[in-house]
């Protein structure tokens, strides 16, 4: 007969099972480092754990987005910093290098510009993590055409050099007078714009005269004309000044001064014996001056206008080509097409260039960042390098020298970015965005640290506390097992 009763045995067994379960749970806590293996076992703390875990997941997503944006901004900033350096160097070089042809057709500044042009194209076609940085929302297409195609064309598609050639023919006209017509009737000299109204060549902007015995009228009419009617002979030193508008939006001035010298110097006309002879001399001098101006400033301005036609299109537009052939008598521009023209920019053209990438960096907060190759300052730098690269000279004569000076002056003006956004300001904008991202990341890091601390306090088991409990519980279990063993062996005989 057993001394222990059934109820005693059952109670002891239940106590041992409970301690065993506690022992197993403590071993799990020691192995996993967690107080519970399910949210339900956390009791009232489970809601806080779920909320903090969700917040941490959101913060980790924002952190990943910020990290990607920071990398893209850093690479973009480095690339554009180099573009800005090129713009500064090119401006200085173009304005300080003399007109000396080093390869028979270009100056050293132009040869250098060709290398800088290639470098700018490579920088604008940067690809990071299978993503083109300067194509706006279109991240899978190289945004800028390769240098040779842009310059020389490809597959019957016109490049910049062809644009410059066709525009040059249209602006100079078939007789090289910049689409102006010069006529002498009696004692009256008339200078008029092309009879067929066109967007090309010189445009008569203004006329100012100190000539005595001469009546100057205009510019008047459509097409505009200026008339100089000699009623007698002027006095030496008196002059007529004409302002001529050029295709690139600038103006040039032609001045003719009356002189008694025969032959006259450049910019002068000889006073004749009477009004008729004086008018004839004036017409000849004006004709020479117009043709020289056409070969110098008009040629340079025409090349700039052609570069503008090639590069300056946006929002789904197209390069503007001379509507020809024939080009020398053309009167209008037309849209280039994919079939006949190289489109230098193939990226996204929607919206305002720049800031086309949107990153969500916090609850209810987004930042727009980035830069696009067709952004004005970037485009103008590329255009200036391309223009310097494309223009060539047949000789090193006086007209070529003057035309080169007119071209480099315009390139320098473009790269001054006066009153416009510069490449440096784009880099500055990227830097400000990077600072915003860094500040936001610091705030996220602090929040994640606090959240992880709270979660740790709720979820993580203290290994020292668990170890003490295990040791205590192990001792209790061993004692309980000993008592159980003793009770199982106890009988009435043993008891007596």
């Amino acid at each position: 007969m057993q001394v222990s009763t059934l109820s005693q045995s059952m109670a002891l067994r239940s106590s041992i099972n409970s301690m065993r379960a506690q022992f197993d749970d403590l071993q799990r806590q020691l192995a996993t480092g967690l107080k519970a293996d399910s949210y339900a076992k956390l009791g009232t703390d489970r809601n806080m754990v779920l909320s903090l875990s969700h917040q941490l997941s959101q913060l980790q997503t924002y952190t990943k987005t910020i990290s990607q944006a920071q990398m893209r901004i850093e690479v973009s900033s480095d690339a554009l910093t180099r573009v800005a350096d090129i713009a500064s160097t090119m401006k200085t070089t173009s304005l300080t290098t003399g007109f000396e042809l080093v390869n028979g057709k270009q100056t050293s500044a132009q040869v250098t510009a060709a290398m800088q042009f290639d470098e700018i194209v490579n920088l604008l076609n940067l690809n990071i993590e299978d993503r083109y940085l300067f194509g706006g929302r279109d991240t899978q297409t190289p945004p800028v055409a390769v240098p040779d195609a842009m310059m020389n064309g490809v597959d019957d598609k016109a490049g910049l050099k062809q644009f410059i050639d066709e525009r040059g023919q249209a602006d100079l006209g078939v007789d090289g007078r910049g689409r102006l017509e010069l006529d002498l009737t009696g004692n009256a000299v008339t200078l008029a714009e092309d009879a067929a109204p066109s967007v090309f060549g010189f445009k008569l902007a203004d006329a100012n005269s100190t000539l005595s015995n001469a009546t100057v009228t205009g510019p008047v009419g459509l097409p505009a004309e200026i008339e100089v009617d000699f009623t007698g002979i002027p006095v030496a030193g008196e002059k007529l000044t004409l302002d001529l508008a050029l295709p690139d939006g600038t103006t040039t001035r032609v001045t003719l001064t009356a002189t008694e010298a025969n032959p006259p110097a450049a910019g002068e006309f000889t006073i004749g014996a009477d009004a008729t002879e004086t008018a004839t001399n004036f017409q000849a001098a004006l004709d020479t001056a117009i043709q020289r101006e056409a070969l110098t400033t008009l040629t340079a301005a025409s090349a700039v206008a052609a570069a503008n036609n090639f590069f300056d299109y946006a929002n789904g537009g197209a390069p503007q080509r001379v509507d020809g052939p024939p080009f020398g008598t053309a009167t209008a521009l037309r849209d280039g097409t994919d079939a006949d023209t190289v489109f230098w920019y193939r990226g996204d053209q929607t919206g305002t260039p720049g800031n086309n990438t949107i990153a969500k960096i916090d609850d209810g907060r987004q930042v727009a960042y980035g830069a696009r190759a067709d952004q004005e300052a970037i485009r103008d730098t590329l255009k200036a390098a391309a223009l310097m690269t494309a223009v060539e000279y047949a000789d090193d004569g006086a007209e070529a020298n003057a035309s080169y000076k007119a071209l480099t002056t315009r390139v320098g003006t473009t790269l001054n970015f006066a009153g416009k956004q510069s490449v440096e300001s784009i880099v500055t904008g990227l830097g400000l965005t990077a600072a915003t991202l860094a500040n936001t990341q610091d705030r996220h890091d602090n929040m994640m640290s606090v959240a992880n601390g709270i979660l740790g306090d709720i979820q993580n088991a203290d290994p020292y506390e668990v170890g003490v409990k295990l040791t205590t519980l192990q001792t209790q279990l061993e004692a309980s097992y000993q008592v159980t063993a003793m009770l199982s062996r106890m009988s009435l005989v043993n008891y007596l």
Side-chain angles (χ1 to χ4, degrees):
M1 175 182 177
Q2 296 291 326
V3 174
S4 60
T5 64
L6 178 61
S7 61
Q8 289 175 322
S9 176
M10 292 296 291
L12 186 59
R13 184 181 297 275
S14 176
S15 176
I16 291 173
N17 288 339
S18 176
M19 286 189 289
R20 182 65 192 178
Q22 292 180 45
F23 187 83
D24 290 342
D25 186 61
L26 287 171
Q27 284 186 315
R28 180 197 58 75
Q29 291 184 42
L30 194 62
T32 64
L34 298 175
K35 292 180 180 178
D37 57 3
S38 68
Y39 290 126
K41 293 180 181 179
L42 291 174
T44 58
D45 289 332
R46 66 178 177 271
N47 290 334
M48 180 175 290
V49 169
L50 288 170
S51 176
L52 288 174
S53 296
H54 175 72
Q55 186 177 14
L56 279 172
S57 177
Q58 287 286 86
L59 290 174
Q60 288 166 354
T61 299
Y62 296 146
T63 294
K64 182 178 179 181
T65 299
I66 289 172
S67 178
Q68 289 176 334
Q70 286 176 320
M71 180 191 66
R72 293 167 187 165
I73 287 175
E74 181 179 1
V75 175
S76 297
S77 296
D78 289 345
L80 292 182
T81 297
R82 176 56 187 153
V83 172
D85 290 342
I86 290 174
S88 178
T89 301
M90 184 164 39
K91 178 179 68 175
T92 301
T93 302
S94 64
L95 295 178
T96 58
T97 303
F99 184 68
E100 182 179 349
L101 302 182
V102 296
N103 58 5
K105 55 187 178 182
Q106 291 187 312
T107 67
S108 59
Q110 292 179 279
V111 173
T112 301
M115 294 184 287
Q116 293 167 330
F117 173 63
D118 283 358
E119 184 177 0
I120 294 172
V121 172
N122 289 331
L123 289 169
L124 296 180
N125 280 335
L126 275 177
N127 185 310
I128 301 297
E129 292 185 326
D130 196 31
R131 180 188 181 97
Y132 290 97
L133 297 180
F134 296 105
R137 291 186 177 92
D138 184 352
T139 61
Q140 300 305 304
T141 304
V144 179
V146 297
D148 185 64
M150 208 186 309
M151 194 62 54
N152 300 306
V154 62
D155 297 333
D156 296 325
K157 298 181 182 182
L160 178 59
K161 288 184 177 180
Q162 187 171 338
F163 267 59
I164 291 174
D165 177 64
E166 292 174 358
R167 178 88 203 210
Q169 294 180 56
D171 283 320
L172 267 68
V174 293
D175 61 2
R177 289 179 172 83
R179 309 296 286 264
L180 294 179
E181 297 176 356
L182 189 59
D183 184 54
L184 174 62
T185 304
N187 297 337
V189 178
T190 303
L191 182 67
E193 294 176 9
D194 201 340
S198 76
V199 299
F200 305 113
F202 290 121
K203 301 301 173 187
L204 302 178
D206 197 10
N208 291 284
S209 171
T210 63
L211 298 175
S212 56
N213 298 314
T215 302
V216 178
T217 56
V220 293
L222 189 67
E225 68 175 33
I226 294 171
E227 182 181 85
V228 182
D229 188 4
F230 289 91
T231 57
I233 59 174
V235 176
E238 295 178 342
K239 61 184 65 178
L240 172 74
T241 300
L242 303 177
D243 288 336
L244 305 176
L246 296 166
D248 64 344
T250 62
T251 59
T252 188
R253 179 164 289 177
V254 174
T255 299
L256 290 181
T257 304
T259 182
E260 294 177 350
N262 190 11
E268 296 180 342
F269 68 96
T270 301
I271 301 169
D274 54 25
T276 301
E277 186 179 346
T278 300
T280 301
N281 293 341
F282 178 81
Q283 181 201 30
L286 181 57
D287 191 26
T288 299
I290 291 296
Q291 292 190 58
R292 183 182 185 281
E293 208 64 32
L295 289 173
T296 55
T297 54
L298 179 58
T299 297
S302 177
V304 172
N308 293 339
N309 295 155
F310 184 80
F311 282 97
D312 297 357
Y313 61 89
N315 297 327
Q320 296 296 292
R321 299 191 58 178
V322 178
D323 192 6
F327 301 109
T329 56
T331 59
L333 294 165
R334 66 171 177 84
D335 287 347
T337 68
D338 275 329
D340 64 20
T341 303
V342 172
F343 282 61
W344 76 271
Y345 179 73
R346 286 293 190 177
D348 165 43
Q349 294 188 57
T350 60
T352 302
N355 297 332
N356 297 112
T357 302
I358 307 298
K360 187 175 182 181
I361 61 172
D362 205 347
D363 292 340
R365 187 180 183 193
Q366 296 178 330
V367 294
Y369 69 94
R372 250 170 51 184
D374 65 335
Q375 220 161 327
E376 186 176 9
I378 301 172
R379 182 197 67 208
D380 283 353
T381 302
L382 178 67
K383 178 168 61 178
L387 182 59
M388 289 288 287
T389 302
V391 174
E392 298 178 349
Y393 299 92
D395 56 52
D396 58 357
E399 283 84 6
N401 192 341
S403 182
Y404 177 75
K405 184 177 180 180
L407 178 71
T408 54
T409 297
R410 285 162 169 76
V411 168
T413 299
T414 297
L415 297 178
N416 274 332
F417 302 107
K420 299 190 298 183
Q421 184 185 49
S422 65
V423 180
E424 288 92 341
S425 62
I426 296 175
V427 175
T428 299
L430 290 172
L432 292 174
T433 303
T436 298
L437 293 174
N439 291 334
T440 304
Q441 184 61 60
D442 288 342
R443 187 171 68 253
H444 288 343
D445 289 342
N446 291 334
M447 292 179 65
M448 286 191 290
S449 177
V450 171
N452 281 320
I454 296 173
L455 284 175
D457 291 341
I458 296 173
Q459 293 182 297
N460 295 340
D462 185 342
Y464 298 102
E465 181 182 349
V466 172
V468 171
K469 288 181 178 180
L470 272 174
T471 301
T472 302
L473 196 58
Q474 185 176 11
T475 302
Q476 292 174 345
L477 276 171
E478 289 175 352
S480 297
Y481 285 143
Q482 289 178 353
V483 169
T484 301
M486 290 173 61
L487 289 176
S488 66
R489 293 195 301 270
M490 189 168 287
S491 64
L492 181 58
V493 175
N494 292 335
Y495 176 76
L496 294 174

